[in-house]
Every structure is written in structure tokens, then in C-alpha cells.
Amino acid sequence: MIVKTEYVDISLAGSRMRTFVAAPGAGGEYPGIWCYSDIFQLSPPLLRTCVRLAGYGFVVAAPEIYRRIEPPGTVIAFDDAGRTRGQQDAAKTPVADFDADCRAGLDWLSKDPRVARGKIGAMGFCIGGHLAFRAAFQPEVRATVCYYGTGIHDGKLGKDKDAGSLARAKEIGGELLMIFGTKDPHVPEAGRETIDRALRDAGVRYKTLLYAAEHAFTRDEGPRYDPEATDQAFAATIQLFRSVFGN
């Protein structure tokens, strides 16, 4: 399937939310996926993932998560200075701001003429995995994939000391796929068990997939990239979205 891409500026109070959109080039309506980046924002690996997913018949929209802090178009480098910058940007952002941007983004995506009515999903990587988990609280989100979401098990997200995400798990009405690397120090085994226990207790329809891989194993730049684990996790992502939304 041929894919078309563009950048869209979603008008919001304070500053616009620059969003990368990848969608099937053919006419018609498709499920819409609100996709969150890691702390480096809209990097080339993230854009490639969006394009790949769009090629399977989805309208994929990825926002700049630090729109209140960084100038539009800012891509943070994959180095020590960039990691520090991304973490500092996150630490300056209240969870309420992340949630407000999520609500605005889902509203925009739902109104896009390429998006089929009632077919909205979410996904994300690293901090974006946590943001996708919170997007799943929204009633229209029917399927969510969280790749190695940080801070879900201990509440660490943004400026707040405790985002309380697990305590709200009962608000997840759609299906959920949690993906982790067993060598990920940011979400250790105890943290994964905490997440599983909370999701079971909340009655969430979910599945957890584990790969013998490190944190950010899907990022196809750098020493932690695991192609096989990435392909398997991507296949599981497609399977979930198609099982919920249809082919």
C-alpha cells in the first residue's frame, strides 16, 4: 500500500501541536492511531514506524509531546546530551498537560475525513508507552499498544510525583497490549508484575508480550536495536488492531 505523509499543525492554546501524519494514499476510510514518540520526539526511527504502520491500512498521527517547551520541528539527538534534554523536558511537563494534549489530539484525529468513525486506537514507545496507556482511558480508544512504557509501574511521568496511572486502569474500556524487553532496566520484572496485577484486578482485557531484548529495542538506530523482536512485536501490534478494527 502506498503511503502519503505530511505535517499538520493542530491549533491549541499556547502553541500549536505539530503532528506527523502517515496515511494510505488511496481513498477511503481507515482506523486512526494516535502514536506517541519516546523522549526524542519525532525522530527518523519513529517516523519510519508510523509509515510502516500506515502501509497496513491505518491513519497514524504522531504529535510532538513537548510542544509547550521545544520549538516546532525540534528532534532531540540520540546522545547523552539529548537524553538529558528529553528527560528534563518531560520533568517540566505536568501530567494534566499531557492529558489535555491527548484529548485535543484524539478530537482532531476523530474528525479527520480519512479516519473511519468509531475506529480509534493508540500506541507509544518509552514515555510514549505510558502516554498511550493513559490515552486508553478515553472512551473512544478501542485498542492500545504500549511499547516498554516507562513509569507505569511506579507512577513516574512528567512533573508529577505520581501520575496514578495504574490506579485508573479500570477506566480502560478497550483492548490493551503491553510489550516489554526482559533486559530493560527501566521496567524490571517486579515492575512488570505490578502492572500485570493491577490490570488483572481492574478486569482489563490485555495481553503482555516479553522479548529477550533491551529498552528501546524497536529503535532502528543504535546498539539496542533487535530486528527480530521488533518484527514480532510489530506483527502482534497489527494483529491486535486488525482484530479490533477489522482488515
Side-chain angles (χ1 to χ4, degrees):
M1 182 177 290
I2 301 299
V3 172
K4 293 184 177 180
T5 64
E6 62 181 323
Y7 284 94
V8 174
D9 289 332
I10 301 175
S11 297
L12 297 173
S15 61
R16 63 189 185 274
M17 182 159 59
R18 193 168 187 256
T19 302
F20 177 79
V21 181
E29 296 181 349
Y30 306 87
I33 308 298
W34 190 244
C35 179
Y36 282 109
S37 71
D38 54 20
I39 62 171
F40 303 100
Q41 295 212 113
L42 303 184
S43 64
L46 189 279
L47 302 190
R48 288 191 286 271
T49 297
C50 291
V51 170
R52 184 182 184 192
L53 182 59
Y56 282 77
F58 300 93
V59 177
V60 186
E64 292 181 339
I65 62 174
Y66 300 139
R67 70 163 181 102
R68 294 175 171 81
I69 299 170
E70 299 285 1
T74 299
V75 178
I76 301 174
F78 292 138
D79 55 23
D80 290 341
R83 185 179 303 105
T84 298
R85 179 177 175 178
Q87 291 171 342
Q88 290 176 343
D89 285 350
K92 297 173 185 175
T93 306
V95 172
D97 285 352
F98 282 132
D99 288 347
D101 286 353
C102 174
R103 185 62 266 165
L106 292 174
D107 287 343
W108 175 87
L109 185 63
S110 297
K111 295 174 183 176
D112 190 293
R114 296 167 292 188
V115 175
R117 185 178 180 87
K119 294 187 176 183
I120 297 292
M123 65 184 293
F125 302 81
C126 189
I127 186 177
H130 195 159
L131 295 177
F133 186 90
R134 294 184 67 84
F137 301 157
Q138 302 301 316
E140 70 267 46
V141 176
R142 295 173 52 195
T144 302
V145 182
C146 303
Y147 281 80
Y148 35 83
T150 54
I152 298 174
H153 67 285
D154 58 14
K156 294 180 181 179
L157 177 65
K159 190 175 182 179
D160 297 34
K161 291 183 178 180
D162 186 355
S165 300
L166 279 183
R168 295 181 60 185
K170 61 182 178 297
E171 298 177 38
I172 298 175
E175 297 192 31
L176 182 66
L177 176 60
M178 307 295 289
I179 294 174
F180 298 107
T182 58
K183 301 177 183 178
D184 185 348
H186 301 289
V187 192
E189 182 177 4
R192 298 194 301 269
E193 291 175 349
T194 296
I195 294 170
D196 281 337
R197 184 165 54 251
L199 293 177
R200 287 196 303 270
D201 291 346
V204 177
R205 291 173 293 162
Y206 83 101
K207 182 178 182 179
T208 298
L209 296 179
L210 302 178
Y211 299 92
E214 299 185 36
H215 186 71
F217 68 83
T218 67
R219 187 195 302 149
D220 63 359
E221 292 183 16
R224 289 179 284 179
Y225 177 49
D226 187 319
E228 182 175 2
T230 297
D231 287 348
Q232 291 176 358
F234 185 81
T237 297
I238 297 297
Q239 182 179 26
L240 173 66
F241 286 152
R242 286 187 169 172
S243 70
V244 172
F245 301 124
N247 289 334

